[in-house]
Amino acid sequence: YQTFTGDLKWDHHDVTYRILNYSPDMEESLIDDAFARAFKVWSDVTPLTFTRLYDGTADIMISFGRADHGDPYPFDGKDGLLAHAYPPGEGVQGDAHFDDDEYWTLGTGPVVKTRYGNAEGALCHFPFVFEGKSYSSCTSEGRTDNLPWCATTADYDNDKKYGFCPSELLYTFGGNANGAECVFPFIFLGETYNGCTTEGRNDGYRWCATTNDFDMDKKYGFCPSRDTAVIGGNSEGEPCSFPFVFLGKKYYSCTSEGRGDGKLWCATTNDYDQDKKWGFCPDRGYSLFLVAAHEFGHALGLDHSNIQDALMFPMYSYVEKFSLHKDDIEGIQYLYGPKPGPNPTPPQSTPDPSKQPDTPATTAPTTTTPAPIDPSKDACKVDKFDTITEIDGDLHFFKDGQYWRMSNKGLQGPFFLSERWPALPAVVDAAFQDQLNKKMYFFSGTRFWVYTGQSLLGPRGIDKLGLPKSVSRVEGVLHKGKDKVLLFSGENYWRLVVKDQMVDKMAVTNVVFGGVPSDVTDVFLYKRNMYFVRERFYWRMNVNKQVDRVGYVKYDLLQC
Amino acid sequence: WCLPLSSVFVTFPGDILKNVTDEELADRYLKRFGYMEELQRSGIQFQGSSSKALMKMQRQMGLEETGLLDKPTMAAMKHPRCGVPDVRS
């Protein structure tokens, strides 16, 4: 690893950041989440904390821009340079800039979050089948209003789950119109426009008026990119027009003809030869998370590494399961030191006293030998808990017949489930405490138990709560007011009226919590925040329904 | 076999990434990322001045240090990357 000359670094550990604008390529919540996760890469291994500011000057100001974007280092169109960042300091120092001529995704192709429809904001599922035909992008087939839509499951014909795709006909972002949709035609400087335009701007962003007369109302917003929109070229944001004519020949799909770099392109009108309108076809895109994590490394004081697998290596490569390289950890810890708190200790065999030397050691030990730990009794060694829930104000972590309690005294346990709640099976999928009468509800498979102190009701089938027979288990629970809870299973949840022990008839819906994964394996409420858990990670949503933290269960909640 | 039968290259309007020769691309790359300082280059032929810079770049990128514009080096130069220079003056 390398640091910048003079070991430039922040002189404080509570670093702030602010997102100044967004890319049209992804929904804002997905961009927020990518940045939050990228910061977490560094806060996991240092004493640094990162707080997001919504106005004013932050240490790290994050922005998207194209070509000349206000500093002496212009970007270069699609591919090539992806982003850059400045080492710590005042002014532009510490800031991170992302080239918006890139196609920003999570690294594996379009990430299309839907709005409206009946899928409650789920992501599009590509490909999906509609009327027997397979679609790999949003379509306006089947509609007369031209709105692009997609299915959020593989088979619309069976599941009928759909939502609308990003489109200027549905909403805008940024600007001053609170996200209102474009109004076409609109008038700008006396001219009439029937679509989004880059006229009047020098940054290449497409915009529209949200009333029919911009000259009079001055209301505008930026147009979100459609998933089928081309990137770069001279028609940014327009969809490909198939078939199109190029050098007299008809093309029915993207082509690399005419280019020496092998990049796929298409025309955005039906005749390239005549109109010369074109752009690059959408591809897998670049992972905003990975690029941001790299740039934030610069913003914290790391220069480029020459270790190819290190995050701070200058070239981009996509990795599915990211973990910070030893070289990056050593680099950042050289600047800021390690994260405070005990390190995880490997299990060790119990020393046999008979084999200990009976002569005293000649030098005093510099470290204390950790007490042997039985992995089955160490919560820090558990990769994934069966469920986590708050009981009497303390978090309880359940795993295979045991549970741990995290209180202000620290982590205690493991305790045996059978000692406190003897009727329960070893694996508990979900649990919650009724806030009114402190009864404990436990779910395992298709059964549930209710404990009032030591008296037991159950087990009973979860279908008795009004859950459909198709529900094979309840995976998580969120309190909704004092007398209702939401029971989560898969991507659905139901609202249970606790005193009636019955779910509302019409209250089944898909997960509508923005910014959290749809495939969470546990959900719980703790100190008024909602936690959505997937494997080792959690997404914390505050009372304003904003995801304000993404973290590790092990390090943050268990304080391992 | 994967090349089109009759390749034609056109200049696409608005294309920032123009067709450039390998030498031009390498020259720009070595300069942009700090391997070759501008003063060092003035008035000197590419081949002579850049060999050291190329080797420096090849070392940084984990490539064989040939000092030549070989295929792996050109591929590395075309690879998407961060805009922060690798070498500082």
Side-chain angles (χ1 to χ4, degrees), chain B residues 22-36:
Chain B
D22 285 357
E23 284 76 15
E24 285 170 327
L25 188 137
D27 186 43
R28 204 180 294 170
Y29 189 98
L30 295 174
K31 186 179 143 197
R32 173 177 274 161
F33 297 110
Y35 294 103
M36 185 164 64

Side-chain angles (χ1 to χ4, degrees), chain A residues 179-225:
Chain A
E181 72 274 20
C182 296
V183 170
F184 298 124
F186 67 88
I187 295 168
F188 169 55
L189 296 179
E191 295 279 324
T192 299
Y193 289 83
N194 286 302
C196 297
T197 179
T198 56
E199 285 295 316
R201 301 191 63 86
N202 56 16
D203 56 10
Y205 282 96
R206 297 164 67 243
W207 69 279
C208 68
T210 56
T211 68
N212 57 13
D213 193 340
F214 177 82
D215 296 342
M216 194 165 72
D217 305 319
K218 305 277 189 250
K219 287 285 185 192
Y220 78 104
F222 295 103
C223 302
S225 291

Side-chain angles (χ1 to χ4, degrees), chain A residues 537-551:
Chain A
F537 308 100
Y538 70 83
W539 283 251
R540 186 176 75 185
M541 184 177 276
N542 61 26
V543 287
N544 299 320
K545 278 203 163 183
Q546 288 175 323
V547 175
D548 59 5
R549 190 172 174 83
V550 182

Side-chain angles (χ1 to χ4, degrees), chain A residues 350-358:
Chain A
T350 309
D352 181 349
S354 65
K355 290 181 181 161
Q356 297 300 305
D358 51 9

Side-chain angles (χ1 to χ4, degrees), chain A residues 83-148:
Chain A
H84 57 220
Y86 295 83
E90 293 288 313
V92 74
Q93 300 294 113
D95 294 356
H97 301 163
F98 296 84
D99 183 359
D100 223 349
D101 273 328
E102 309 306 342
Y103 183 36
W104 292 111
T105 64
L106 298 178
T108 56
V111 186
V112 186
K113 191 166 162 57
T114 62
R115 293 194 176 196
Y116 308 108
N118 62 1
E120 310 294 349
L123 299 180
C124 289
H125 189 293
F126 295 128
F128 65 89
V129 174
F130 169 56
E131 292 186 345
K133 190 178 160 193
S134 180
Y135 290 83
S136 296
S137 60
C138 298
T139 178
S140 51
E141 284 294 313
R143 298 196 63 84
T144 53
D145 55 11
N146 223 18
L147 281 176

Side-chain angles (χ1 to χ4, degrees), chain A residues 505-516:
Chain A
K505 278 290 172 215
M506 298 303 289
V508 55
T509 183
N510 278 73
V511 176
V512 290
F513 298 93
V516 304

